[in-house]
Amino acid sequence: MSFQETFKALSDPTRRAILDILKDGAKTAGEIGSQFDMAGATVSHHLSVLREAGLVSDDRRGKYIYYELNVSVLDQITGWVAGLRGEKRHEK
Amino acid sequence: MSFQETFKALSDPTRRAILDILKDGAKTAGEIGSQFDMAGATVSHHLSVLREAGLVSDDRRGKYIYYELNVSVLDQITGWVAGLRGEKRHEK
DNA sequence: TTATCATTTAGACAGATTTCGAAATGAGAG
DNA sequence: CTCTCATTTCGAAATCTGTCTAAATGATAA
């Protein structure tokens, strides 16, 4: 759940696409996986990277595991970028 | 200069540290390199990744090459994150 | 229990990434 | 032109990453 983990997680296009898919609500691993042309195991791996980075949370409901977007961690990213933009010249 | 290149470039801690160093103005490759405990060739490689991603620009002035932060590309990142945060439920 | 469905974990592999030292390039100074 | 300094490019080694198939786990249904 470190800063580095978050950036690393976002550096893969499949993982960013997963986050996009989760924009409008929680979905099961299967629903997410069906959107990609790759093995379910691979998508499962990407989901675990996103989970360890704190970008999604998972919730088992019976047979299914629902994944949901966790936006709060994204604020760190925005904050870091703002830091670069903000104090650009001669503050203090 | 693609979206993917930008995220990839930001996924390395050394490269993010370089951007931080450049926050308060342009610096030469040597000045940047002296802040890290790694070969100059390695830092030069990181600088080229940042340049290809459009995150920095370089400017040769005599013997030295000055690198400068290019903030405009960072807006893409902020924009993408805002997209995830924003339209979270039932728009349209 | 056994069968089946949803998903993850394990192990392996190819390709990408980070890093280095050494050689090459660019540019001013003598 | 030659020397030196700043930086990059080259080529290679070690490590990391994304992907696959096959096997394991969790949960429900019969």
Side-chain angles (χ1 to χ4, degrees):
Chain A
M1 242 232 202
S2 71
F3 205 50
Q4 171 58 16
E5 267 180 327
T6 308
F7 271 108
K8 260 288 160 35
L10 292 176
S11 75
D12 180 84
T14 301
R15 289 194 288 266
R16 288 198 307 278
I18 290 174
L19 296 181
D20 263 326
I21 287 170
L22 293 178
K23 256 194 329 203
D24 31 62
K27 288 198 169 40
T28 70
E31 288 172 318
I32 296 165
S34 72
Q35 312 249 22
F36 299 96
D37 186 22
M38 56 179 69
T42 303
V43 175
S44 180
H45 162 69
H46 285 308
L47 286 168
S48 88
V49 173
L50 290 170
R51 179 165 30 75
E52 275 155 36
L55 287 162
V56 303
S57 56
D58 59 345
D59 175 22
R60 177 145 224 154
R61 294 212 275 272
K63 265 207 290 200
Y64 303 90
I65 301 180
Y66 283 83
Y67 282 88
E68 183 165 22
L69 188 58
N70 189 354
V71 289
S72 69
V73 180
L74 292 166
D75 292 341
Q76 292 189 306
I77 304 296
T78 313
W80 182 80
V81 171
L84 280 186
R85 283 195 121 300
E87 301 92 285
K88 202 170 157 215
R89 31 187 145 258
H90 57 61
E91 94 287 2
K92 210 261 298 306
Chain B
M1 242 229 202
S2 72
F3 205 48
Q4 171 59 15
E5 267 181 326
T6 309
F7 271 108
K8 259 290 162 41
L10 292 175
S11 75
D12 181 87
T14 301
R15 290 194 286 265
R16 288 198 306 279
I18 290 174
L19 296 181
D20 262 325
I21 287 170
L22 292 177
K23 256 194 331 202
D24 32 64
K27 289 199 168 40
T28 71
E31 287 173 319
I32 296 164
S34 73
Q35 312 250 21
F36 299 96
D37 186 22
M38 55 180 68
T42 303
V43 175
S44 180
H45 163 70
H46 285 308
L47 285 169
S48 89
V49 173
L50 290 171
R51 179 164 31 74
E52 276 156 36
L55 287 163
V56 302
S57 56
D58 59 344
D59 176 20
R60 177 145 224 154
R61 293 211 277 272
K63 266 205 293 200
Y64 303 91
I65 301 179
Y66 282 83
Y67 282 88
E68 183 165 19
L69 188 59
N70 190 353
V71 287
S72 69
V73 181
L74 292 167
D75 292 340
Q76 292 190 303
I77 304 296
T78 315
W80 182 80
V81 172
L84 280 186
R85 284 194 120 300
E87 301 93 285
K88 200 167 160 218
R89 30 188 143 258
H90 56 61
E91 93 285 2
K92 210 258 298 312

